[in-house]
Amino acid sequence: MSNITHDSNNDSCSNDNNADAGTKYIRNFSIIAHIDHGKSTLADRLIEATGTLSKREMCNQFLDNMDLEKERGITIKAQTVRLKYHARDGIEYHFNLIDTPGHVDFSYEVGRSLASCDGALLVVDASQGVEAQTLANVYLAIDYNLEILPVINKIDLPHADVEKTKFEIEEIIGIDAHNANLVSAKQGLGIDELLESIVEHIPAPKGSNNNPLQALIFDSWFDSYQGVVILVRVFEGRIAVKDKIFFKHPSQTYEVLKLGINAPFFTEVSTLSVGEVGLVICGIKNVRDVHIGDTIISSQAKETPALSGFKEMKPMVFCGIFPVDNSDYDNLKDSLQKLALNDASFTFEPETSAALGFGLRCGFLGLLHMNIVQERLEREFQLNLISTAPSCKYVVKLTNNDTITIENPSLLPNPSIIDTISEPMVEINLHTPNEYVGNIIKLCEERRGHQLEIKYITPERVQLIYELPLIEMVYDFYDRLKTVSRGYASMDYQFKEYRSSDLVKLDILLNGEAVDALSIICHRTNSAIKGRNLVQRLRRVITRQQFDIAVQAAIGAKVVARETVKALRKNVLAKCYGGDVSRKRKLLEKQKAGKKRMKMVGSVEVPQEAFLAVLSTEEED
């Protein structure tokens, strides 16, 4: 992620000695944790305990305000809220709280949030202990030089083991957990003590209102009435309404029309001072003018250095997104640009397909990220979309020593000019109870995994580190992992390197015509099995026509699997009650000739289910 630290060496940045007195009553912090360890529930209790919302206004997972988040029970977008807390010393503190996602596919959201904070609450489930994403999020917080405050949640559960959880935090993470806050976010236990710990242990922001303005853009979204709404953390100086501000990246100057804070609903303010988190509205209609990670400075001091921003995320999974109706292509492109304001971790570029027409090739951080983006496009922008099979980026070395990079299997060159194909490898970190180790090892071996390390954290919990091809993890590895471990295993992964492998392109042919959007790249050893399972699934989802449809899987000119979608057949002999057999034969031959002509001019409709069938190519029972 980015290298922003709060000890910046920029000349304009201040130190402890010249920090404004007002900032010592501000605390900026995030809540980080593994999935389902209680981040959003803890945020609810903090909102309640500070009196930010009344009981009538309060609802479960208040900060998870997207329908998708409520339906799936996960946090997708980091959300901010300002809380007023009257401490026991009689002083009123302002807390800027950011609730973050827990799934590995949304790690970019976590990184952006941490860049705007001075500390983080590390929430660990007392019944589950330290898990894979717990480690990943802690390492992110350490990279940002943040103060980490351990919080042990769910202490009210019958099988909670607080002492064991403290031991794991100290042994695995290396953080002193002796005085960790013990809470039950569901029951509201320990919340008052946690609020006091935040005041005591999370450092106040540094900086001065007298320094030139430096504000980091860490989120944004498009509003139909107000244009682009920008969420910023002010590191130096202050912003006031009607100020002229300068955006470093597009080199554009705008006037501030409105400023606001989430408290927790939008509340207008006249200024945002150093250390504060708030919303800036300038009436920006061109979404390309705003870049997450950019620095806002004063138009009177354009030489002010930019903050270091964020490290650009590298997409791991790619797929094509096409509108069902080709006339919606421009709407799809505009919608993706608006969505990119709110989620800068995916990429897109134009793509054409012989089967699907005009669309966009998009890159995502993972399969869940891909599914969420497609659902948001369909719900928020009322689009009807088809997505192709997910793939990843391959490095192809040609026989003339040139090297090319492809993201779309249909762009793979002719095998005769390919020297080697290298696929991305990931290092996957698995945490599981001891009794499921055998099942997980078997799963990893099936996916061409190579074991790097196995470590017993406690007699009951094991950490497995495997090296795995990314493409083997993309399809349904996470679902299979949850199945074989009964939901108890957790995982985290990171890109390692590109490695040469015996890969081939598996084409899907419908009546002899290749459907480029269904092509996949797979390892030669399991290509025949994948091809057979894939054509079996396609046979079930492709609609029957008036003619037979041959569904074939082929590697080059060699067909490795075939299924036939049988024709809808009219009984032309129904009117023949007798007579010579030649009359019946004549009618059948006439029908056969008609179906042959129909097959030559007829087209096969490929439904969305056909592309979803590629996602699961496990052998049938």
Side-chain angles (χ1 to χ4, degrees):
M1 306 302 294
S2 82
N3 293 321
I4 295 177
T5 63
H6 307 297
D7 307 315
S8 175
N9 293 323
N10 292 337
D11 292 336
S12 61
C13 291
S14 61
N15 53 34
D16 287 331
N17 295 328
N18 64 357
D20 280 12
T23 61
K24 68 180 181 179
Y25 303 124
I26 297 175
R27 298 292 183 268
N28 297 322
F29 61 94
S30 287
I31 303 178
I32 56 175
H34 187 79
I35 311 164
D36 291 334
H37 278 210
K39 299 177 302 300
S40 298
T41 308
L42 180 60
D44 286 350
R45 298 294 82 76
L46 293 176
I47 291 171
E48 275 184 350
T50 52
T52 306
L53 284 176
S54 66
K55 287 187 178 181
R56 182 179 60 83
E57 296 172 314
M58 195 66 202
C59 62
N60 288 336
Q61 276 78 46
F62 176 80
L63 294 181
D64 291 346
N65 51 23
M66 288 170 52
D67 290 340
L68 269 175
E69 292 177 316
K70 295 184 184 298
E71 288 170 17
R72 292 178 178 246
I74 59 173
T75 301
I76 296 169
K77 281 293 300 172
Q79 299 291 343
T80 63
V81 61
R82 180 181 288 193
L83 314 174
K84 289 182 181 179
Y85 173 58
H86 293 274
R88 290 171 183 169
D89 59 9
I91 298 173
E92 182 180 270
Y93 289 85
H94 286 178
F95 291 169
N96 289 309
L97 159 65
I98 305 178
D99 179 28
T100 62
H103 197 282
V104 62
D105 280 15
F106 305 110
S107 58
Y108 188 63
E109 288 287 323
V110 180
R112 286 179 358 194
S113 304
L114 294 177
S116 355
C117 294
D118 305 296
L121 305 185
L122 173 66
V123 179
V124 182
D125 187 333
S127 62
Q128 299 285 340
V130 173
E131 299 199 62
Q133 199 58 26
T134 312
L135 284 172
N137 288 333
V138 166
Y139 294 149
L140 274 177
I142 291 171
D143 286 344
Y144 285 103
N145 210 18
L146 301 187
E147 184 68 31
I148 299 170
L149 184 62
V151 179
I152 299 176
N153 191 22
K154 304 187 183 181
I155 59 170
D156 58 314
L157 295 181
H159 50 290
D161 192 336
V162 173
E163 292 306 315
K164 179 183 168 186
T165 305
K166 287 183 178 181
F167 172 78
E168 288 188 11
I169 293 173
E170 293 179 349
E171 187 71 15
I172 302 171
I173 303 176
I175 296 175
D176 181 16
H178 180 68
N179 293 318
N181 286 89
L182 308 181
V183 305
S184 168
K186 189 172 184 180
Q187 302 294 335
L189 303 175
I191 300 300
D192 292 338
E193 289 74 16
L194 176 58
L195 289 166
E196 287 297 315
S197 293
I198 291 170
V199 170
E200 183 180 349
H201 296 290
I202 301 295
K206 300 175 184 177
S208 171
N209 286 324
N210 299 321
N211 287 335
L213 174 64
Q214 283 181 310
L216 177 72
I217 300 175
F218 69 95
D219 203 358
S220 60
W221 57 90
F222 188 82
D223 184 278
S224 301
Y225 300 100
Q226 303 187 102
V228 179
V229 181
I230 304 165
L231 190 58
V232 300
R233 154 74 193 271
V234 182
F235 280 94
E236 296 289 346
R238 66 195 305 169
I239 310 175
V241 174
K242 296 189 177 179
D243 277 357
K244 294 286 198 307
I245 56 175
F246 183 74
F247 290 66
K248 275 282 192 180
H249 191 77
S251 299
Q252 295 283 343
T253 300
Y254 290 98
E255 181 180 343
V256 177
L257 302 180
K258 279 185 187 178
L259 293 173
I261 57 171
N262 286 325
F265 307 109
F266 179 80
T267 306
E268 281 197 52
V269 295
S270 57
T271 61
L272 287 176
S273 301
V274 65
E276 293 189 315
V277 174
L279 305 165
V280 180
I281 298 171
C282 302
I284 301 172
K285 299 299 182 185
N286 187 354
V287 295
R288 297 184 186 89
D289 286 354
V290 178
H291 298 265
I292 291 176
D294 193 12
T295 304
I296 295 177
I297 60 175
S298 170
S299 64
Q300 307 298 318
K302 294 181 180 179
E303 70 286 349
T304 305
L307 297 164
S308 55
F310 308 104
K311 180 181 177 183
E312 187 176 346
M313 293 300 291
K314 294 181 180 178
M316 304 288 280
V317 177
F318 297 85
C319 83
I321 294 182
F322 298 83
V324 171
D325 185 348
N326 280 332
S327 62
D328 282 337
Y329 172 73
D330 288 334
N331 290 339
L332 172 61
K333 195 172 180 181
D334 291 341
S335 301
L336 276 169
Q337 287 174 345
K338 291 176 181 177
L339 193 61
L341 275 175
N342 197 226
D343 181 359
S345 57
F346 73 89
T347 61
F348 58 93
E349 58 185 23
E351 179 186 38
T352 56
S353 164
L356 300 174
F358 291 101
L360 293 149
R361 190 77 181 171
C362 302
F364 306 95
L365 299 183
L367 195 61
L368 176 63
H369 188 209
M370 183 188 87
N371 293 336
I372 291 295
V373 168
Q374 181 176 349
E375 282 202 51
R376 289 188 67 186
L377 286 169
E378 290 177 340
R379 292 187 185 207
E380 296 175 23
F381 301 97
Q382 290 75 53
L383 294 169
N384 194 7
L385 304 173
I386 288 178
S387 60
T388 64
S391 179
C392 55
K393 191 177 287 186
Y394 297 92
V395 176
V396 182
K397 184 180 178 183
L398 305 178
T399 51
N400 62 2
N401 287 327
D402 287 347
T403 300
I404 60 172
T405 301
I406 64 160
E407 301 161 0
N408 189 341
S410 63
L411 300 178
L412 192 70
N414 191 298
S416 62
I417 63 170
I418 295 176
D419 183 16
T420 60
I421 305 176
S422 298
E423 62 181 339
M425 304 294 293
V426 294
E427 187 175 296
I428 183 166
N429 192 332
L430 302 155
H431 285 249
T432 179
N434 184 35
E435 59 263 37
Y436 305 114
V437 170
N439 292 341
I440 292 175
I441 289 177
K442 182 181 177 182
L443 173 64
C444 292
E445 296 294 335
E446 287 173 356
R447 300 304 178 96
R448 298 190 284 131
H450 171 66
Q451 189 181 115
L452 298 179
E453 188 180 354
I454 180 167
K455 184 164 57 177
Y456 280 78
I457 301 165
T458 69
E460 297 83 24
R461 290 189 63 79
V462 183
Q463 181 182 12
L464 292 165
I465 300 177
Y466 262 85
E467 200 175 62
L468 205 71
L470 175 62
I471 194 64
E472 297 288 348
M473 201 195 71
V474 159
Y475 289 107
D476 58 356
F477 182 85
Y478 188 67
D479 292 338
R480 289 289 311 281
L481 176 69
K482 289 296 182 185
T483 300
V484 300
S485 67
R486 298 185 182 180
Y488 284 106
S490 64
M491 61 168 269
D492 175 46
Y493 67 91
Q494 59 183 2
F495 171 75
K496 189 173 184 183
E497 63 180 358
Y498 279 92
R499 188 174 300 165
S500 176
S501 189
D502 187 12
L503 302 172
V504 293
K505 182 173 76 163
L506 187 68
D507 286 315
I508 300 300
L509 312 178
L510 297 181
N511 281 340
E513 295 291 326
V515 182
D516 55 351
L518 290 175
S519 298
I520 61 172
I521 293 176
C522 60
H523 200 267
R524 190 182 299 275
T525 55
N526 57 15
S527 57
I529 296 173
K530 284 196 173 184
R532 182 175 69 246
N533 293 328
L534 184 51
V535 295
Q536 288 173 353
R537 283 178 167 78
L538 291 174
R539 176 179 60 81
R540 292 197 291 269
V541 298
I542 291 177
T543 307
R544 293 173 68 188
Q545 306 288 328
Q546 295 288 338
F547 50 88
D548 284 353
I549 302 170
V551 184
Q552 297 170 306
I555 300 172
K558 180 183 177 182
V559 175
V560 296
R562 172 188 169 127
E563 291 284 339
T564 302
V565 180
K566 290 296 184 181
L568 293 168
R569 184 175 179 272
K570 180 182 177 182
N571 186 5
V572 294
L573 304 182
K575 60 186 177 181
C576 298
Y577 292 99
D580 189 70
V581 70
S582 61
R583 185 183 175 204
K584 297 180 181 179
R585 189 177 297 118
K586 181 180 177 182
L587 287 171
L588 290 171
E589 290 296 327
K590 186 178 179 182
Q591 183 188 44
K592 183 178 178 181
K595 287 187 179 295
K596 186 176 180 181
R597 286 195 305 272
M598 194 180 297
K599 184 174 182 178
M600 293 173 64
V601 299
S603 61
V604 181
E605 188 79 18
V606 183
Q608 169 70 19
E609 289 79 10
F611 300 102
L612 296 177
V614 186
L615 296 178
S616 181
T617 54
E618 293 297 315
E619 192 168 357
E620 295 282 320
D621 293 331

